CSV table of all heavy atoms in Angstrom, one decimal:
chain,number,residue,atom,x,y,z
A,410,GLU,N,5.3,14.5,-16.0
A,410,GLU,CA,5.7,13.7,-17.2
A,410,GLU,C,4.8,14.0,-18.4
A,410,GLU,O,5.2,14.2,-19.6
A,410,GLU,CB,5.7,12.2,-17.0
A,410,GLU,CG,6.7,11.7,-15.9
A,410,GLU,CD,8.2,11.9,-16.3
A,410,GLU,OE1,8.5,12.0,-17.4
A,410,GLU,OE2,9.0,11.9,-15.3
A,413,SER,N,5.7,17.3,-19.6
A,413,SER,CA,6.9,17.1,-20.4
A,413,SER,C,6.5,16.7,-21.9
A,413,SER,O,7.1,17.2,-22.9
A,413,SER,CB,7.8,16.0,-19.9
A,413,SER,OG,8.2,16.3,-18.5
A,417,TYR,N,7.4,18.9,-25.3
A,417,TYR,CA,8.1,18.4,-26.4
A,417,TYR,C,7.2,18.5,-27.7
A,417,TYR,O,7.7,18.7,-28.8
A,417,TYR,CB,8.7,17.0,-26.2
A,417,TYR,CG,9.9,17.0,-25.3
A,417,TYR,CD1,9.9,16.4,-24.1
A,417,TYR,CD2,11.1,17.6,-25.8
A,417,TYR,CE1,11.0,16.4,-23.2
A,417,TYR,CE2,12.2,17.6,-25.0
A,417,TYR,CZ,12.2,17.0,-23.7
A,417,TYR,OH,13.3,17.1,-22.9
A,439,GLN,N,10.2,12.1,-28.5
A,439,GLN,CA,10.5,12.4,-27.1
A,439,GLN,C,9.1,12.7,-26.4
A,439,GLN,O,8.9,12.2,-25.3
A,439,GLN,CB,11.4,13.6,-27.0
A,439,GLN,CG,11.8,14.0,-25.6
A,439,GLN,CD,12.6,12.9,-24.9
A,439,GLN,OE1,13.4,12.2,-25.6
A,439,GLN,NE2,12.4,12.7,-23.6
A,443,GLU,N,7.7,10.5,-23.2
A,443,GLU,CA,7.3,11.1,-21.9
A,443,GLU,C,5.9,10.5,-21.4
A,443,GLU,O,5.7,10.3,-20.3
A,443,GLU,CB,7.2,12.6,-22.0
A,443,GLU,CG,8.5,13.3,-22.3
A,443,GLU,CD,9.6,13.1,-21.2
A,443,GLU,OE1,9.2,12.6,-20.1
A,443,GLU,OE2,10.7,13.5,-21.4
A,446,HIS,N,6.6,7.4,-19.7
A,446,HIS,CA,7.1,7.6,-18.4
A,446,HIS,C,6.0,7.8,-17.4
A,446,HIS,O,5.9,7.3,-16.3
A,446,HIS,CB,8.0,8.8,-18.3
A,446,HIS,CG,9.3,8.7,-19.1
A,446,HIS,ND1,10.2,9.8,-19.3
A,446,HIS,CD2,9.8,7.7,-19.8
A,446,HIS,CE1,11.2,9.4,-20.0
A,446,HIS,NE2,11.0,8.1,-20.3
A,486,HIS,N,14.7,21.8,-18.5
A,486,HIS,CA,13.5,21.1,-18.1
A,486,HIS,C,13.9,19.8,-17.5
A,486,HIS,O,13.4,19.3,-16.4
A,486,HIS,CB,12.5,21.0,-19.3
A,486,HIS,CG,11.3,20.1,-18.9
A,486,HIS,ND1,10.3,20.6,-18.1
A,486,HIS,CD2,11.0,18.9,-19.2
A,486,HIS,CE1,9.4,19.7,-18.0
A,486,HIS,NE2,9.8,18.6,-18.6
A,487,GLU,N,14.8,19.0,-18.2
A,487,GLU,CA,15.1,17.7,-17.8
A,487,GLU,C,15.9,17.7,-16.4
A,487,GLU,O,15.7,16.9,-15.6
A,487,GLU,CB,16.0,17.0,-18.8
A,487,GLU,CG,15.3,16.6,-20.1
A,487,GLU,CD,14.1,15.6,-19.8
A,487,GLU,OE1,14.1,15.0,-18.8
A,487,GLU,OE2,13.2,15.6,-20.6
A,490,VAL,N,13.2,17.9,-13.9
A,490,VAL,CA,12.6,16.5,-13.8
A,490,VAL,C,13.5,15.7,-12.9
A,490,VAL,O,13.0,15.0,-11.9
A,490,VAL,CB,12.4,15.8,-15.1
A,490,VAL,CG1,11.9,14.4,-15.0
A,490,VAL,CG2,11.5,16.6,-16.0
A,516,PHE,N,13.9,5.5,-13.3
A,516,PHE,CA,13.8,6.9,-13.6
A,516,PHE,C,15.1,7.6,-13.4
A,516,PHE,O,15.5,8.5,-14.1
A,516,PHE,CB,12.7,7.6,-12.8
A,516,PHE,CG,11.3,7.3,-13.4
A,516,PHE,CD1,10.6,6.1,-13.0
A,516,PHE,CD2,10.8,8.1,-14.4
A,516,PHE,CE1,9.4,5.9,-13.6
A,516,PHE,CE2,9.5,7.8,-15.0
A,516,PHE,CZ,8.8,6.7,-14.5
A,520,GLN,N,17.0,9.5,-16.3
A,520,GLN,CA,17.3,11.0,-16.3
A,520,GLN,C,18.8,11.3,-16.6
A,520,GLN,O,19.1,12.3,-17.2
A,520,GLN,CB,16.9,11.6,-14.9
A,520,GLN,CG,15.5,11.9,-14.8
A,520,GLN,CD,14.8,12.6,-15.9
A,520,GLN,OE1,13.9,12.0,-16.6
A,520,GLN,NE2,15.3,13.8,-16.3
A,523,GLU,N,18.5,11.3,-20.4
A,523,GLU,CA,17.7,12.4,-20.8
A,523,GLU,C,18.6,13.7,-20.8
A,523,GLU,O,18.6,14.4,-21.8
A,523,GLU,CB,16.4,12.7,-20.0
A,523,GLU,CG,15.4,11.5,-20.0
A,523,GLU,CD,14.5,11.6,-21.2
A,523,GLU,OE1,14.9,11.2,-22.3
A,523,GLU,OE2,13.3,12.0,-21.0
B,1384,FEO,FE1,10.4,11.8,-18.4
B,1384,FEO,FE2,12.3,13.6,-20.0
B,1384,FEO,O1,11.8,12.9,-18.4
Side-chain angles (χ1 to χ4, degrees):
E410 298 291 343
S413 304
Y417 285 115
Q439 185 62 33
E443 297 297 352
H446 296 173
H486 177 74
E487 290 302 338
V490 173
F516 283 88
Q520 281 313 117
E523 296 276 76

